[in-house]
């Protein structure tokens, strides 16, 4: 977040109108035209850069002004600060047709890096990448005048490869390969000389360069790397560090190809292993082609870095650098081994030792990800079992380090990249997938987009039920993780000895009765059984954390992920799985985190997908009739989850029919009719005496329609439902109901009751309208307004009006 002063500056910059901006640019133009490049010009350019960069839309600048900006940028006597500001302004304007810079006449490498940064800001337009790539390679190839440094051009080269790898041809790539080999492997092992201001006391001893040191203070015994420490660095040492920073990207773009030193088609795995090791140790690297030689030196460099990372650093900043370099070194080793499989047999034993050391150091956990990626990629080649690597990764890391956001992001990225392999080959991934939800529960806002991409690969017939439970309990998991981080062993011990009921969630965490419930929420492995008993009670204790920002954010993503989950499930779900899912939806609709808005949002998603499950497997209503009867017969379900209850009742009316399942019997239809009739009677006729809470008119009309549908399939019920509907008409027209629902809603209920009554007077028409055949119920039929179900009901209603001549008496 910005400070108040920074916010004020940004607001002022955004509010400047184009007229004021043009006047301001005219003032700067005067300075640049007169080559007045002092402090006032610098201040004006800073303000202009703030205005342009702070504004979201493109600011139009005068052509003449842009011309002077470019001229000042390329002016040899321009101060460096002026050049940097001019380049920054031109970059923020890109892509812009007014910019007409060329990198060809520029000789100074620092200026060339600024000019090319402006050109590359255009992207790949006008072949800018090719022009910049060619110019940079020519400058790198040429002998540099004294005072010029190539290190400013290596970031440019890296950017060029990012925009378009074809910007550098094979011949140019080989030239850079040779340069990178020299910069990586043959940098000086002595420190540079400090720039002396002169003086009488400068002794010859002070002129002697001191050796480069290791991070632990020892004198470096091998070649220079980014982990070598010195007070002053030479130019080749700076090039060494810049080369390593771009090495990974360069190898990915230009390192593939060449001849591998293993011929796996002709040799066995064992022979290939021995031959590759002999080849690697005996072949002179100077005889190798440029690509292969760069791989060799890159591997040696990374091996040296890994050895250096094992040293005890004297400074905290060096410790952090060691971790970063270790991750980068293992990643580059992985790339080298993918491009030349002969390095696998050299790297595997070495990296196994590294893994053993890393597992014992919790501060190095992030290194486990590139290590696991290496073993994942190459263990099959070398016939090595890497289960221990994955076990550590999927068990220990999420459970203990879920609260590290960068690790969480990298972990989910790693799983996403390798999702196909994990789901097919690694049983540990399938067993410990609940652990991944801890990352999501704790880091829900920044991680949700990444997790949504990984999510479909987690969903299988074997995991679907548990993932549904995990999603519904995700806010509770967030609350439990928060309590786990804040709790201490002494608190848990004190509560463990107490027999008093807990007063809040923190006390419940240490209470012996609730420990099993928290263990269920915080489980690492998959849970094969049903949802644990008592979870609803735990939900009540966790309500004191329902306003915690992290829990609130997690509640907001659950409906999104639940919708994605159900969307994926319906793609492969069969009858038995759909039955299981429907039972979970019915049961868990009453067992959610007790936050009204969260429950409403989740019920909304549950309702919509219950309909889809019924459409896919209509027999669900018959096969789960006992559970549906129990749910729909409980009137309290209306006030707690009205939307979900309404959809359940609609499904009963729609699919409890012999046309969808031959096992549907008259007895089942009658049972549902009696239960729903009792519910409708309870929420309408007994309202004044029982004080039943108000239900929406939608619930009443759906219940009436469902009763009419069931009666059309068991025609002995038609007189009964007709009598009830006539009573309903008089009931909703009473003063009590009108005062409760209002005239408009009461009239709608009355109209629906009248339409249903009239429809049931003609059983054959009622059966056609309320229980259409598969052909009639097709989507195309309902899209046709001239033959819709509503039209059939209205027509039959009009036919049955007493004033109509078509129907007697």
């Amino acid at each position: 977040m910005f400070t108040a002063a920074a916010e004020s500056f940004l607001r002022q910059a955004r509010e400047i109108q184009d007229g004021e901006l043009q006047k301001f640019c005219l003032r700067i133009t005067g300075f640049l035209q007169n080559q007045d490049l002092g402090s006032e010009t610098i201040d004006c350019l800073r303000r202009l850069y703030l205005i342009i960069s702070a504004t979201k839309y493109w600011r139009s600048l005068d052509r003449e002004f842009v011309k002077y900006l470019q001229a000042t940028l390329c002016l040899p006597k321009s101060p460096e600060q002026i050049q940097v500001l001019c380049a920054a302004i031109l970059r923020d304007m890109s892509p812009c047709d007014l910019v007409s810079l060329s990198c060809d006449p520029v000789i100074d490498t620092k200026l060339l890096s600024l000019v090319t940064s402006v050109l590359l800001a255009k992207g790949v337009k006008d072949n800018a990448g090719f022009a910049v790539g060619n110019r940079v390679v020519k400058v790198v190839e040429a002998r540099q005048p004294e005072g010029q440094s190539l290190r400013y051009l290596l970031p440019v080269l890296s950017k060029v490869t990012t925009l378009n790898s074809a910007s550098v041809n094979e011949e140019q790539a080989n030239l850079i390969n040779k340069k990178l080999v020299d910069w990586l492997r043959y940098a000086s092992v002595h420190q540079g000389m400090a720039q002396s201001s002169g003086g009488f006391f400068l002794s010859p001893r002070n002129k002697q360069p001191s050796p480069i040191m290791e991070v632990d203070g020892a004198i470096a015994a091998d070649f220079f790397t980014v982990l070598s420490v010195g007070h002053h660095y030479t130019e080749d040492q700076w090039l060494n560090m810049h080369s390593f920073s771009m090495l990974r990207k360069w190898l990915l773009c230009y390192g593939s190809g060449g001849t591998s030193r293993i011929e796996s088609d002709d040799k066995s795995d064992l022979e290939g292993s021995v031959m590759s090791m002999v080849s690697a140790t005996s072949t002179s690297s100077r005889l190798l082609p440029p690509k292969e030689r760069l791989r060799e030196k890159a591997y040696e460099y990374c091996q040296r870095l890994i050895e250096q990372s094992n040293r005890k650093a004297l400074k905290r900043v060096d410790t952090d650098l060691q971790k970063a370099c270790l991750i980068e070194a293992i990643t580059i080793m992985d790339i080298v081994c993918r491009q030349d499989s002969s390095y696998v047999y050299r790297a595997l034993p070495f990296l196994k030792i590294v893994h053993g050391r890393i597992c014992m150091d919790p501060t190095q956990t992030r290194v486990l990800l590139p290590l696991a990626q290496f073993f994942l990629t190459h263990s099959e080649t070398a016939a090595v079992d890497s289960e221990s690597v994955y076990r550590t990764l999927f068990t220990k890391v999420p459970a203990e380090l879920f609260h590290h956001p960068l690790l969480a992001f990298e972990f989910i990225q790693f799983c996403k990249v390798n999702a196909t392999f994990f789901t097919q080959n690694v049983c540990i991934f399938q067993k410990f997938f609940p652990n991944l939800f801890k990352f999501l529960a704790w880091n829900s806002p920044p991680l949700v987009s990444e997790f949504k991409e990984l999510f479909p690969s987690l969903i299988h017939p074997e995991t679907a039920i548990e993932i549904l439970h995990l999603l519904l309990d995700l806010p509770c998991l967030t609350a439990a993780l928060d309590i786990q981080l804040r709790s201490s062993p002494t608190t848990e011990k004190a509560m463990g000895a107490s027999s008093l009921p807990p007063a809040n969630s923190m006390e419940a965490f240490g209470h012996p009765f609730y420990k099993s419930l928290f263990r269920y929420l915080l489980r690492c492995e998959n849970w094969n059984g049903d949802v644990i008993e008592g979870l609803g009670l735990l939900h009540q204790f966790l309500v004191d954390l329902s306003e915690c920002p992290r829990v609130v954010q997690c509640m907001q993503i659950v409906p999104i992920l639940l919708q994605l989950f159900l969307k994926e499930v319906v793609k492969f779900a069969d009858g038995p799985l759909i039955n299981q899912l429907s039972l979970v939806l019915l049961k868990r609709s009453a067992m959610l985190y007790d936050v009204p808005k969260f429950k409403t949002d989740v019920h909304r998603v549950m309702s919509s997908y219950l309909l889809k499950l019924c459409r896919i497997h209509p027999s669900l209503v018959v096969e789960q009739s006992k559970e549906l009867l129990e749910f729909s017969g409980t009137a309290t379900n209306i006030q707690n989850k009205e939307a979900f209850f309404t959809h359940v009742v609609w499904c009963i009316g729609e699919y409890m029919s012999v046309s969808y399942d031959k096992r549907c019997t008259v007895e089942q239809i009658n049972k549902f009719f009696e239960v729903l009739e009792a519910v409708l009677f309870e929420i309408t006729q007994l309202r004044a005496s029982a004080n039943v809470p108000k239900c929406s008119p939608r619930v009443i009309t759906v219940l009436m329609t469902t009763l009419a549908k069931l009666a059309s399939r068991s025609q002995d019920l038609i007189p009964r439902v007709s009598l009830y509907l006539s009573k309903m008409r008089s009931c909703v027209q009473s003063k009590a109901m009108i005062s409760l629902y209002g005239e408009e809603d009461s009239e709608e209920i009355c109209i629906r009751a009248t339409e249903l009554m009239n429809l049931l007077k003609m059983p054959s028409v009622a059966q056609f309208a309320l229980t259409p055949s598969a052909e009639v119920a097709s989507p195309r039929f309902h899209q046709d307004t001239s033959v819709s179900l509503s039209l059939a009901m209205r027509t039959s209603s009009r036919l049955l009006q007493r004033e109509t001549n078509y129907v007697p008496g």
Side-chain angles (χ1 to χ4, degrees):
M1 294 297 290
F2 294 111
T3 62
E7 287 283 359
S8 176
F9 275 120
L10 287 171
R11 186 172 59 255
Q12 291 174 23
R14 289 167 183 154
E15 290 174 355
I16 289 178
Q17 301 300 314
D18 287 340
E20 296 177 72
L21 181 61
Q22 294 302 331
K23 290 179 183 178
F24 185 55
C25 290
L26 280 174
R27 184 185 173 197
I28 301 175
T29 303
F31 292 139
L32 300 182
Q33 192 173 12
N34 298 326
Q35 296 188 5
D36 181 2
L37 307 178
S39 58
E40 190 174 358
T41 305
I42 292 173
D43 184 59
C44 289
L45 288 172
R46 280 177 179 162
R47 290 176 59 193
L48 178 60
Y49 176 63
L50 175 63
I51 293 168
I52 292 177
S53 59
T55 310
K56 293 180 181 178
Y57 60 89
W58 187 77
R59 291 278 199 176
S60 60
L61 298 179
D62 185 69
R63 181 180 296 274
E64 193 71 15
F65 175 69
V66 174
K67 176 183 172 183
Y68 278 111
L69 275 179
Q70 297 178 86
T72 306
L73 170 61
C74 299
L75 194 65
K77 68 174 186 177
S78 291
E80 184 178 349
Q81 199 170 6
I82 292 279
Q83 290 179 322
V84 169
L85 285 168
C86 289
I89 294 168
L90 292 169
R91 272 199 307 272
D92 265 20
M93 289 174 56
S94 294
C96 175
D97 294 334
L98 300 180
V99 178
S100 56
L101 285 172
S102 173
C103 58
D104 290 335
V106 182
I107 299 174
D108 183 80
T109 54
K110 193 178 290 187
L111 178 57
L112 181 60
S113 70
L114 293 174
V115 172
T116 52
S117 71
V118 176
L119 293 173
L120 293 176
K122 293 183 176 182
V124 293
K125 186 180 178 182
D126 300 329
N127 294 324
F130 290 98
V132 171
N134 289 332
R135 179 59 181 158
V136 169
V137 172
K138 284 181 181 179
V139 174
V140 169
E141 185 180 13
R143 186 185 181 98
Q144 297 305 307
E146 189 175 351
Q148 296 293 310
S149 173
L150 292 176
R151 60 180 155 128
Y152 302 109
L153 299 182
L154 293 187
V156 177
L157 199 58
S158 181
K159 179 69 174 178
V160 167
T161 60
T162 303
L163 291 174
N164 187 1
S165 59
S167 300
V168 177
N169 60 40
E170 187 175 357
E171 184 180 350
Q172 293 171 330
N174 283 333
L175 171 67
I176 301 297
N177 286 336
K178 294 175 183 178
K179 293 288 185 180
L180 288 174
V181 166
D182 292 337
W183 295 333
L184 285 171
R185 188 61 179 84
Y186 303 111
S188 171
V189 291
H190 290 88
Q191 298 189 42
M193 297 293 294
Q195 291 184 356
S196 174
S197 58
F200 180 77
F201 296 100
L202 189 64
S203 64
R205 185 175 181 179
N206 291 335
K207 294 181 180 179
Q208 297 298 322
S210 56
I212 287 291
M213 312 296 288
E214 300 286 3
V215 290
D216 59 357
I219 295 176
D222 210 332
F223 60 90
F224 181 89
T225 70
V226 291
L227 283 179
S228 301
V229 180
H231 295 291
H232 306 283
Y233 295 108
T234 61
E235 183 59 31
D236 59 345
Q237 289 167 353
W238 280 114
L239 283 168
N240 179 283
M241 291 183 273
H242 280 71
S243 299
F244 177 69
S245 70
M246 65 170 286
L247 182 58
R248 187 210 303 202
K249 191 178 293 184
W250 183 264
L251 286 173
L252 286 172
C253 287
Y254 305 108
S256 58
T259 56
S260 174
R261 282 170 282 170
I262 280 188
E263 299 189 12
S264 54
D265 294 339
D266 302 329
K267 309 281 190 302
S268 66
D269 285 344
L270 180 60
E271 290 172 336
S273 172
V274 173
M275 286 186 65
S276 64
M277 294 174 68
V278 171
S279 173
T281 54
S282 61
T283 304
S284 172
S285 64
R286 292 189 180 276
L287 301 178
L288 296 172
K291 279 184 184 177
E292 282 78 357
R293 191 166 180 231
L294 178 59
R295 289 192 204 120
E296 177 78 27
K297 298 309 174 186
Y299 179 86
E300 291 176 5
Y301 193 99
C302 293
Q303 194 170 22
R304 164 114 166 98
L305 277 180
I306 294 171
E307 290 167 351
Q308 286 179 298
S309 67
N310 198 25
R311 294 176 177 267
K312 181 71 174 177
L314 299 178
K315 297 179 182 178
R316 171 67 183 274
V317 65
D318 289 335
T319 302
D320 295 336
L321 182 61
Q322 281 179 304
K323 296 174 187 176
C325 288
L326 184 57
I327 292 171
E328 187 71 6
I330 295 171
T331 305
I332 291 174
M333 271 191 168
D334 181 28
I335 295 169
V336 169
C337 291
R338 272 186 277 156
Q339 294 176 352
D340 188 343
S341 55
S342 66
Y343 289 97
V344 173
Y345 305 96
R346 297 165 61 183
L348 269 174
F350 185 65
L351 292 181
K352 276 191 172 182
I353 298 171
V354 175
H355 179 259
R357 172 167 60 88
I358 295 302
C359 287
M360 307 304 294
D361 186 358
T363 64
Q364 298 273 25
T365 306
R366 284 184 60 209
V367 185
L368 285 174
L369 292 172
L371 268 175
Q373 185 65 64
F374 184 92
F375 285 103
L376 185 71
T377 309
H378 305 292
S379 57
E380 188 176 350
T381 303
V384 175
D385 184 14
S386 304
E387 184 174 339
S388 61
V389 180
Y390 308 134
R391 182 171 293 277
T392 304
L393 194 65
F394 286 105
T395 57
K396 185 178 178 182
V397 175
E400 297 177 2
L401 299 167
F402 58 87
H403 54 286
H404 290 273
L406 181 58
L407 176 64
F409 177 79
E410 291 178 343
F411 199 105
I412 298 301
Q413 279 278 71
F414 169 77
C415 293
K416 189 176 71 173
V417 169
N418 302 289
T420 304
F421 178 86
F422 283 143
T423 51
Q424 295 176 356
N425 300 287
V426 182
C427 61
I428 296 171
F429 181 72
Q430 300 170 2
K431 184 178 181 181
F432 294 99
F433 72 87
N435 242 357
L436 298 180
F437 283 81
K438 293 177 182 176
F439 285 129
L440 178 65
W442 193 259
N443 307 279
S444 50
L447 206 60
V448 65
S449 59
E450 296 296 321
F451 200 89
K452 281 171 70 176
E453 295 183 39
L454 172 67
F455 200 32
S457 63
L458 298 176
I459 304 170
H460 301 284
E462 299 79 16
T463 63
I465 299 299
E466 182 163 8
I467 288 178
L468 180 55
H469 285 302
L470 284 166
L471 284 177
L472 297 176
D473 289 328
L474 201 62
C476 303
L477 176 58
T478 307
L481 292 170
D482 181 76
I483 297 168
Q484 184 184 46
L485 282 180
R486 290 187 289 115
S487 66
S488 61
T490 55
T491 307
E492 293 185 39
K493 188 175 181 182
M495 282 306 302
S498 173
S499 58
L500 296 174
N504 52 46
S505 56
M506 180 62 78
E507 291 184 8
F509 184 75
H511 198 279
F513 179 76
Y514 296 98
K515 270 191 172 180
S516 60
L517 297 175
F518 276 101
R519 277 199 295 268
Y520 169 76
L521 283 178
L522 297 168
R523 65 191 183 276
C524 296
E525 300 184 26
N526 56 344
W527 181 273
N528 293 322
D530 198 359
V531 60
I532 192 167
E533 293 296 329
L535 190 60
L537 189 60
L538 183 59
H539 290 168
Q540 297 175 12
F541 277 109
L542 294 175
V543 169
D544 62 357
L545 289 171
S546 62
E547 295 183 1
C548 171
R550 201 176 291 276
V551 177
V552 171
Q553 289 173 330
C554 186
M555 284 191 286
Q556 292 169 351
I557 70 162
V558 169
I560 300 169
L561 291 175
L562 184 60
Q563 191 168 8
L564 177 61
F565 164 77
L566 292 169
K567 184 179 178 181
E568 289 295 324
V569 165
V570 296
K571 293 178 180 178
F572 60 80
D574 55 4
L577 179 57
I578 288 176
N579 285 337
Q580 284 183 286
L581 287 169
S582 63
L583 287 178
V584 172
L585 293 177
L586 288 172
K587 188 172 184 178
R588 289 307 306 269
S589 65
M591 291 178 61
L592 295 173
Y593 197 25
D594 198 13
V595 178
K597 188 176 186 311
F598 171 71
K599 292 168 79 171
T600 301
D601 292 341
V602 171
H603 284 153
R604 175 177 47 79
V605 179
M606 282 181 166
S607 303
S608 63
Y609 275 90
L610 180 66
L611 299 182
K612 292 185 179 182
L613 292 176
C614 286
R615 288 193 190 104
I616 296 170
H617 185 58
S619 298
L620 181 154
V621 178
V622 174
E623 293 168 355
Q624 305 299 326
S625 59
K626 181 181 176 182
E627 289 77 10
L628 290 171
L629 273 170
E630 183 180 349
F631 181 86
S632 58
T634 307
T636 53
N637 284 335
I638 302 176
Q639 51 186 295
N640 295 332
K641 33 188 175 289
E642 185 177 285
F644 189 69
F645 179 88
T646 306
H647 282 75
V648 169
V649 172
W650 188 90
C651 288
I652 292 169
E654 186 73 10
Y655 298 107
M656 179 55 70
S657 169
V658 70
S659 61
Y660 287 106
D661 194 319
K662 301 297 182 185
R663 294 170 294 176
C664 177
T665 63
V666 175
E667 288 77 17
Q668 285 179 319
I669 293 173
N670 291 343
K671 279 183 183 179
F672 274 105
F673 182 90
E674 290 172 1
V675 167
L676 296 178
E677 183 186 39
V679 171
L680 183 57
F681 185 79
E682 183 177 351
I683 65 176
T684 55
Q685 303 293 328
L686 300 180
R687 175 169 305 284
S689 58
N691 290 325
V692 179
K694 175 187 174 181
C695 299
S696 71
R698 185 176 179 226
V699 176
I700 296 173
T701 54
V702 169
L703 278 166
M704 290 191 305
T705 306
T706 299
L707 290 175
K709 286 181 179 180
L710 294 175
S712 69
R713 297 160 201 163
S714 177
Q715 297 189 2
D716 292 342
L717 298 173
I718 289 179
R720 185 171 166 180
V721 74
S722 296
L723 178 62
Y724 188 85
L725 289 171
S726 65
K727 290 181 179 180
M728 176 64 69
R729 289 173 60 191
S730 58
C731 173
V732 296
Q733 290 172 344
S734 66
K735 291 182 179 180
M737 291 291 282
I738 292 174
S739 64
L740 189 64
Y741 287 103
E743 291 186 4
E744 188 176 345
D745 288 341
S746 297
E747 186 180 355
E748 288 296 326
I749 296 172
C750 185
I751 290 172
R752 176 55 61 92
T754 303
E755 288 179 346
L756 292 171
M757 280 178 57
N758 292 334
L759 195 59
L760 290 171
K761 289 178 182 178
M762 295 187 297
S764 58
V765 176
Q767 193 165 13
F768 161 75
L770 299 173
T771 312
S773 63
E775 294 81 12
V776 173
S778 65
R780 189 171 63 84
F781 175 83
H782 289 288
Q783 289 170 1
D784 190 348
T785 56
S786 63
V787 290
S788 67
L789 176 60
S790 301
L791 180 61
M793 291 182 69
R794 286 196 303 272
T795 303
S796 61
S797 182
R798 288 170 186 163
L799 286 171
L800 293 168
Q801 294 298 324
R802 286 190 178 274
E803 61 269 24
T804 307
N805 297 325
Y806 294 106
V807 180

